[in-house]
């Protein structure tokens, strides 16, 4: 486990560089990330590069044995570049240029911007490609699939549609343009959906434009990676993902990169309990291997809004070790120093504005000491018997057309993930097209937009003996985001052994269901009214005109089993339901875990290491099934006692 920090030498007097590097080395920091915001400093004049000061900074850290993650800083452009080429500025929904001088104002599709970005990447790679202090390379920073409606993007979007659909009649058919007199008679009439009022946007056009923007984002990252590799073939390259408004397709984004990196520093996490376990498992699932946290929470993170609460004692250590428990091998904290100017001045780092080490610094120092004890974890990975399928397209489509009050795609995924976590089970979060054969249970929530490859993958998994769980709002749309003119869940009817006769979007109205054992649970948001064909009822509705109709079903199909959850339930149902499924499929369960305790296991094939994390504000005790050895306390124990946000790691 490597612990590092973000460092911005350009923001500090050079007299601080040596002091900071010396202090970092003394407390055990192994890596720094540099140059994330530095393009204007690296290239102060068009075509004139100055790496001397960066050479000095890298040399100082190298002297102290600290590796460097070097960022290609294409997110923050020099003002001279905007002034010289205003056509590279991204256009907003009002078709007006965004104000330059802050982050992410460039259009990724601009050929002029691409030329400048590649030139910068090439110069950096030529200069630092053989430098042994460079541990890895990061492309851009917090990259998003920002929509832009400049002329270049309009033209490229039209070309993208022609390439995908061949001709205008097929485009009209795919986008369902006959409604509201929207049929195109010339390709020049097609415009990105942002130019229309939100209530007048075509969902099929929206999904097409989302696909275009996310492919454009991935193409930009791929092109910069190729530029680096031409000059530095052995370079390890990534970019850093974050859960933001304009989410790219993470699977596409990292397809051509060496490892996944994730920003785990949401301001919402500071000062209150909350689990990032789902997000961390998703990051591990993107490439199916361990990953890096590029920005870990170190202090209150302020943006445009008020400053949130500071992390409570134990959170800096606890949430770092939580990331390790879910597959992060390198954890870079954001940031070493709190900025004294600019929009980030109240996004606090390890050291406050006072320049006097305080509580967070000393906790971080202890974390670095703890990391030095974890060499036994270095060669371990996570092996899961359960998987949840995550589809960026389904998330986009369901967010674009809200189904009912309180209904969200991600919450259903998180509900299933949380239920497995309550029993201490590892969970992978993977693409719907990934190989599923190694899992005993697969959860496929809201398979809303049809993909032939996904449907075939699910059928293949069940036919070969897998246990599949599907949910409401599956099979609703075709591949273009138009409704399918068949009985729901359309292509999945045979698989689930039932048909949906009617849907009731109940919103926040609470109702109840009763399972086969007579247990009652609360449901809301959405109710599919099901008619059984080959399936059996697992639970039935207890309210309304569809009282006694199936709400949850179970169907034996070929060698496998398929469950269908037609409503959205409270956490008690998912815990009970997943507990039963785990028992039926033979997935081991830990019972009686205190509320807030998260359990994850990493293995090297010979030894298993169990992580017990108390993600709550109460002291907890977990009785172990047998005496185990704590690699943190360096002693055997038959129970684990944890303070708030504390973790223990035992060898099984």
């Amino acid at each position: 486990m490597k612990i590092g920090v973000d460092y911005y030498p350009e923001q500090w007097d050079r007299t601080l560089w040596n002091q900071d590097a010396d202090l970092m080395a003394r407390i055990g920091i192994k890596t720094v990330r540099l140059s994330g915001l530095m393009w204007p400093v690296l290239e102060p004049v068009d075509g004139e590069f100055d790496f001397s000061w960066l050479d000095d900074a890298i040399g100082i850290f190298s002297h102290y044995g600290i590796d460097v993650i070097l960022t290609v800083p294409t997110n923050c452009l020099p003002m001279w570049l905007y002034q010289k080429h205003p056509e590279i500025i991204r256009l907003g929904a009002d078709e007006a240029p965004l104000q330059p001088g802050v982050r992410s104002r460039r259009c990724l599709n601009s050929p002029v911007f691409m030329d400048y970005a590649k030139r910068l990447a090439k110069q950096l790679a030529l200069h630092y490609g053989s430098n042994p202090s460079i541990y890895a390379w990061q492309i851009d920073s917090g990259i998003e699939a920002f929509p832009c409606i400049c002329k270049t993007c309009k033209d490229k979007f039209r070309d993208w549609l022609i390439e995908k659909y061949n001709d205008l009649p097929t485009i009209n058919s795919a986008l369902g343009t006959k409604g509201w007199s929207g049929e195109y008679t010339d390709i020049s009439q097609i415009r990105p959906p942002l130019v229309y009022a939100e209530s007048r946007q075509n969902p099929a056009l929206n999904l097409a434009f989302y696909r275009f923007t996310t492919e454009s984002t991935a193409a930009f990252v791929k092109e910069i990676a190729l530029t680096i590799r031409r000059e530095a073939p052995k370079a390890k390259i990534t970019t850093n993902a974050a859960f933001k408004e304009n989410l790219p397709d993470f699977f596409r984004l990292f397809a051509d990169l060496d490892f996944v990196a994730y920003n785990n520093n949401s301001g919402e996490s500071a000062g209150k309990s909350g689990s990032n376990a789902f997000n961390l498992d998703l990051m591990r699932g993107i490439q199916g291997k361990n990953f890096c946290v590029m920005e870990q929470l170190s202090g209150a993170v302020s943006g445009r809004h008020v400053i949130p609460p500071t992390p409570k004692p134990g959170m800096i250590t606890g949430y770092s070790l939580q990331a390790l428990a879910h597959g992060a091998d390198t954890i870079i904290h954001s940031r070493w120093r709190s900025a004294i100017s600019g929009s980030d001045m109240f996004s606090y780092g390890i050291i406050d504005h006072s320049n006097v080490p305080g509580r967070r610094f000393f906790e971080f120092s202890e974390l670095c000491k703890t990391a030095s004890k974890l060499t036994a974890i270095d060669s371990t990975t996570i092996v899961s018997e359960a998987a949840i399928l995550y589809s960026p397209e389904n998330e986009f489509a369901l967010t674009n057309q809200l189904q009912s009050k309180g209904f969200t795609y991600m919450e259903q995924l998180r509900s299933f993930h949380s239920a497995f976590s309550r029993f201490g089970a590892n969970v992978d979060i993977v693409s719907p097209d990934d190989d599923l054969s190694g899992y005993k249970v697969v959860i496929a929530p809201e398979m809303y937009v049809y993909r032939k490859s996904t449907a075939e993958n699910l059928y293949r998994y069940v036919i070969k003996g897998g246990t599949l769980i599907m949910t409401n709002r599956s099979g609703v749309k075709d591949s273009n985001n138009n409704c399918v003119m068949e009985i729901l869940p359309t292509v999945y009817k045979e698989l689930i052994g039932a048909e949906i006769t009617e849907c009731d979007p109940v919103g926040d109205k609470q109702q109840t269901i009763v399972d086969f054992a007579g247990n009652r649970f609360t449901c809301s948001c959405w109710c599919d009214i099901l008619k059984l064909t080959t399936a059996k009822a697992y639970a039935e509705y207890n309210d309304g005109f569809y009282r006694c109709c199936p709400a949850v079903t179970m169907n034996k199909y070929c060698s496998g089993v398929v469950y269908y959850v037609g409503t959205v339930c409270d956490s008690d149902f998912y815990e009970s339901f997943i507990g039963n499924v785990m028992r039926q499929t033979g997935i081991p369960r830990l019972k009686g875990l205190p509320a807030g305790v998260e359990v994850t296991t990493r293995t090297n094939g010979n030894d298993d290491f169990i992580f017990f994390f108390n993600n709550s504000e109460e002291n907890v005790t977990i009785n172990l099934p047998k005496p185990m050895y704590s690699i943190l306390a360096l002693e055997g124990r038959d129970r684990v006692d944890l303070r708030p946000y504390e973790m223990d790691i035992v060898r099984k």
Side-chain angles (χ1 to χ4, degrees):
M1 178 185 182
K2 296 179 70 172
I3 297 293
V5 292
D6 289 328
Y7 192 66
Y8 302 94
E10 73 277 16
Q11 297 181 7
W12 309 108
D13 190 277
R14 283 176 179 252
T15 58
L16 292 174
W17 297 2
N18 259 306
Q19 297 175 32
D20 286 336
D22 177 67
L23 183 55
M24 289 179 196
R26 282 192 282 120
I27 66 174
I29 287 175
K30 302 298 183 184
T31 304
V32 295
R33 184 179 67 152
L34 299 178
S35 71
L37 310 174
M38 297 181 181
W39 191 344
V41 189
L42 295 171
E43 190 180 4
V45 178
D46 188 357
E48 296 182 13
F49 294 91
D50 180 9
F51 297 145
S52 59
W53 64 275
L54 186 54
D55 291 342
D56 293 345
I58 292 173
I60 288 171
F61 287 113
S62 178
H63 173 74
Y64 286 98
I66 298 173
D67 293 334
V68 170
I69 297 174
L70 194 64
T71 303
V72 181
T74 50
N75 196 299
C76 297
L77 280 60
M79 291 300 291
W80 61 256
L81 181 51
Y82 284 123
Q83 186 176 33
K84 188 172 184 177
H85 294 285
E87 69 272 20
I88 70 174
I89 301 175
R90 184 160 53 90
L91 301 191
D94 58 359
E95 301 191 73
L98 300 179
Q99 182 64 43
V102 292
R103 296 167 57 95
S104 304
R105 290 305 194 243
R106 72 283 192 263
C107 170
L108 295 182
N109 283 314
S110 165
V112 175
F113 169 70
M114 178 66 85
D115 287 344
Y116 275 92
K118 288 168 63 177
R119 186 177 74 177
L120 174 65
K122 179 178 180 178
Q123 292 299 317
L124 283 167
L126 284 169
H127 195 79
Y128 295 110
S130 60
N131 189 319
S133 296
I134 307 302
Y135 163 67
W137 295 70
Q138 177 186 305
I139 297 170
D140 209 79
S141 182
I143 195 165
E144 298 182 53
F146 283 110
C148 174
I149 54 176
C150 69
K151 183 181 185 304
T152 298
C153 285
K154 289 176 182 176
D155 290 343
K156 284 196 171 187
F157 180 48
R158 292 162 184 154
D159 292 342
W160 183 89
L161 288 169
I162 289 292
E163 183 177 353
K164 184 176 179 65
Y165 296 110
N166 297 319
D167 54 41
L168 199 57
T170 310
I171 292 174
N172 276 311
S173 176
L175 300 185
T177 56
K178 290 186 183 296
W180 287 356
S181 302
E183 195 164 8
Y184 304 117
T185 57
D186 188 272
I187 194 69
S188 63
Q189 296 164 359
I190 299 177
R191 306 172 75 196
L194 274 69
V195 301
Y196 305 104
E198 188 172 336
S199 61
R200 296 293 184 264
Q201 290 176 6
N202 176 356
L205 181 65
N206 282 345
L207 182 59
F209 193 63
Y210 167 75
R211 287 168 171 161
F212 166 73
T213 57
T214 201
E215 286 182 22
S216 298
T217 305
F220 168 76
V221 169
K222 181 178 181 179
E223 193 62 35
I224 300 301
L226 287 172
T227 302
I228 296 170
R229 288 195 173 105
R230 288 188 191 103
E231 312 303 333
K234 296 181 179 180
K236 294 187 293 184
I237 305 174
T238 190
T239 186
N240 56 333
F243 283 87
K244 295 184 178 180
E245 181 180 357
N246 300 285
L247 282 183
D249 182 329
F250 293 138
F251 300 106
R252 284 185 177 274
L253 186 67
F254 288 99
D256 298 292
L257 301 181
D258 295 295
F259 62 96
V260 171
Y262 167 57
N263 290 356
N264 194 34
N265 64 339
S266 168
E268 296 178 358
S269 299
K272 66 178 183 180
S273 299
S275 182
N276 291 313
F278 176 88
N279 294 359
L280 294 165
D281 283 342
L282 173 55
M283 292 301 123
R284 189 183 72 253
I286 292 170
Q287 292 185 342
K289 63 182 183 181
N290 293 357
F291 62 100
C292 166
V293 171
M294 200 61 83
E295 295 183 17
Q296 176 67 27
L297 181 72
S298 299
V301 179
S302 175
R304 295 170 295 173
H305 308 295
V306 297
I307 304 171
T310 192
K312 291 183 174 66
M315 280 187 171
I316 288 175
T317 297
Y319 287 141
S320 296
L321 294 178
Q322 180 199 40
L324 171 69
H326 289 271
D329 287 340
T330 299
I331 301 173
I332 309 298
H333 282 249
S334 178
R335 43 194 285 161
W336 174 250
R337 288 182 172 278
S338 304
I340 59 175
S341 61
S343 61
D344 286 338
M345 68 173 68
F346 292 123
S347 292
Y348 289 90
I350 299 297
I351 297 177
D352 285 331
H353 297 125
S354 64
N355 201 29
V356 177
R359 173 183 65 84
R360 296 195 313 283
F361 171 83
F362 293 113
E363 182 178 332
F364 178 75
S365 300
E366 288 301 312
L367 168 66
C368 293
K369 293 179 183 177
T370 298
S372 67
K373 302 178 183 179
L374 299 178
T375 55
I377 307 296
D378 289 347
S379 59
T380 62
T381 57
I382 293 176
V383 178
S384 304
E385 295 183 299
I388 298 173
L389 307 187
Y390 166 70
S391 164
E393 289 189 356
N394 285 335
E395 180 181 9
F396 175 86
L398 284 161
T399 303
N400 181 240
Q401 282 183 292
L402 298 177
Q403 301 295 287
S404 72
K405 188 174 182 181
F407 185 107
T408 69
Y409 173 78
M410 293 300 284
E411 278 308 305
Q412 289 209 46
L413 273 68
R414 292 179 189 277
S415 293
F416 284 105
H417 183 272
S418 178
F420 280 108
S421 298
R422 289 288 295 131
F423 294 106
N426 289 348
V427 185
D428 289 345
I429 301 172
V430 299
S431 164
D433 293 334
D434 279 354
D435 179 11
L436 307 177
S437 60
Y439 298 109
K440 291 183 176 179
V441 178
V442 170
I443 319 293
E446 299 167 277
M447 292 289 103
Y448 186 68
V449 176
Y450 171 71
R451 286 176 62 92
K452 184 174 184 288
S453 58
T454 297
E456 290 175 346
N457 201 26
L458 296 182
Y459 271 90
R460 183 166 51 247
Y461 169 73
V462 176
I463 288 170
K464 292 183 178 180
T467 295
L468 175 67
I469 299 172
M470 300 194 71
T471 76
N472 47 78
R473 309 316 284 149
S474 292
V476 177
K477 299 290 193 76
D478 65 16
S479 60
N480 298 309
N481 206 20
N482 297 307
C483 286
V484 179
M485 199 172 176
E486 294 179 29
I487 295 173
L488 293 174
T490 62
V491 70
Y492 300 112
K493 289 198 300 288
E494 182 182 347
L495 200 58
I496 74 165
E499 297 178 351
I500 298 168
T501 60
E502 193 173 351
C503 304
D504 189 6
V506 294
D508 57 5
K509 178 184 177 183
Q510 290 196 336
Q511 301 188 169
T512 56
I513 63 171
V514 181
D515 73 7
F516 67 93
N519 301 306
R520 295 192 176 202
F521 304 99
T522 301
C523 67
S524 60
C525 294
W526 193 273
C527 296
D528 280 341
I529 304 165
L530 294 154
K531 183 179 90 172
L532 303 178
T533 52
T534 59
K536 295 181 180 179
Y538 180 96
E540 296 178 341
Y541 292 109
N542 196 50
D543 306 283
F545 67 90
Y546 39 90
R547 185 175 183 270
C548 296
C549 289
V552 182
T553 62
M554 186 275 288
N555 186 47
K556 292 183 179 179
Y557 186 83
C558 293
S559 299
V561 176
V562 182
Y563 293 89
Y564 184 86
V565 181
T567 185
V568 180
C569 296
D570 59 18
S571 60
D572 290 344
F573 167 78
Y574 293 105
E575 184 175 337
S576 170
F577 175 57
I578 291 302
N580 287 336
V581 172
M582 290 175 69
R583 184 171 61 250
Q584 293 295 326
T585 55
I587 298 177
R589 297 179 299 162
L590 284 176
K591 298 180 181 179
L593 288 174
V597 171
E598 300 174 11
V599 181
T600 311
T601 303
R602 291 180 59 150
T603 182
N604 58 19
N606 295 315
D607 294 317
D608 293 340
F609 298 89
I610 306 175
F611 295 71
F612 292 93
F613 176 43
N614 178 19
N615 194 10
S616 77
E617 298 184 11
E618 305 294 332
N619 293 334
V620 299
T621 296
I622 303 108
N623 293 314
L624 299 175
K626 64 177 183 179
M628 298 183 187
Y629 183 78
S630 169
I631 65 172
L632 293 181
L634 303 179
E635 65 180 21
R637 50 184 50 175
D638 56 12
R639 72 178 196 184
V640 174
D641 297 307
L642 298 175
R643 298 185 299 273
Y645 312 111
E646 187 177 16
M647 179 176 282
D648 197 1
I649 306 171
V650 300
R651 182 184 287 112
K652 188 174 179 180

